[in-house]
Amino acid sequence: MKKEIKTNVMRLLDKSGIKYETLYYDLGDEKFSGEAVSDYLGLEYDTCFKTLALKHEHDLFIAVIPVDKNLDLKKCAKAFGVKNLEMVKVKDLLKEVGYERGSVSPVGIKKKHRVAFDTGVLNHEKIEISGGLMGIGLIVDREEIIRYLKAEVLDICEEK
C-alpha cells in the first residue's frame, strides 16, 4: 500500500489539529477482523477499537468498542436512551455511514449521529481506530478523539 495516501479521516483530523500516527496493514478480505489487524500491527486488542454502526428507526448511532469485545445491543440501546438498536447491514454501510466494511471510522460519518466509546477506552491514553480505508489504522489520543467527536463513554459491551 502506498504510504502517501491521505484519507478523508486524516484530512478531517489535520484540519482540527489532531495529531495521529498512521499504521498500514495488508490483510485479505477473507482474513480481515479487528483481532487480525491488531495481531498484524503488534498491538494489544484492548487498545484497538472497531466502529459499529447501529440504527433505531431513522436515527444512526455509532459504537466504538475494543476489537476483542462484543457489543451488548440491549445495554447499548439503554445507554443511548432508545428502546432497541439493530446493526446496520453490511450491504447498507456505504449508504448509511459512507464507509464499507473494514474501513468504518468514527470520524467523517456522513449523517448526524451520536457516538459512544465503551468504557474500556478509559484504560489507555492512545488508541487505534480505522483510518477510513481498509489497510490504514490511526493511533490517536483518547481525550482528543472523544472531544472531537463529542462522544460519550458508556458501558456498552457484553460481560466476558
Side-chain angles (χ1 to χ4, degrees):
M1 177 160 290
K2 296 179 183 175
K3 296 207 183 327
E4 62 268 3
I5 290 175
K6 193 67 121 166
T7 67
N8 191 46
V9 172
M10 295 168 170
R11 283 189 284 278
L12 290 168
L13 294 178
D14 289 344
K15 185 176 177 185
S16 297
I18 296 175
K19 292 181 178 10
Y20 55 86
E21 177 188 348
T22 308
L23 305 173
Y24 298 91
Y25 60 90
D26 188 12
L27 295 170
D29 207 32
E30 67 285 345
K31 292 181 185 174
F32 180 81
S33 72
E35 289 98 331
V37 171
S38 296
D39 290 342
Y40 187 96
L41 297 173
L43 299 172
E44 297 293 323
Y45 292 159
D46 65 343
T47 65
C48 296
F49 285 74
K50 59 186 172 185
T51 304
L52 305 173
L54 310 155
K55 286 194 86 163
H56 172 73
E57 296 174 359
H58 298 293
D59 295 325
L60 184 66
F61 297 87
I62 302 300
V64 189
I65 67 173
V67 297
D68 64 335
K69 298 272 177 96
N70 292 315
L71 185 70
D72 183 322
L73 282 171
K74 286 184 180 177
K75 195 190 287 189
C76 190
K78 185 176 180 181
F80 275 128
V82 295
K83 187 175 179 179
N84 55 29
L85 287 168
E86 62 181 68
M87 298 288 294
V88 172
K89 292 175 179 50
V90 172
K91 68 178 182 60
D92 297 330
L93 280 173
L94 189 59
K95 178 180 80 173
E96 293 287 340
V97 298
Y99 295 110
E100 294 180 336
R101 177 187 174 271
S103 66
V104 180
S105 176
V107 177
I109 291 176
K110 64 184 192 176
K111 293 183 180 178
K112 188 175 183 322
H113 57 280
R114 282 177 63 193
V115 179
F117 281 81
D118 180 66
T119 53
V121 75
L122 299 174
N123 297 326
H124 307 282
E125 289 183 22
K126 302 278 185 188
I127 60 168
E128 185 269 341
I129 61 171
S130 172
L133 188 66
M134 181 82 84
I136 298 178
L138 303 176
I139 301 284
V140 295
D141 180 87
R142 171 196 72 210
E143 290 300 321
E144 285 186 341
I145 201 69
I146 289 172
R147 190 170 33 256
Y148 172 75
L149 294 168
K150 296 178 177 62
E152 302 165 78
V153 177
L154 304 170
D155 180 15
I156 55 177
C157 285
E158 291 178 353
E159 300 299 321
K160 284 227 172 184

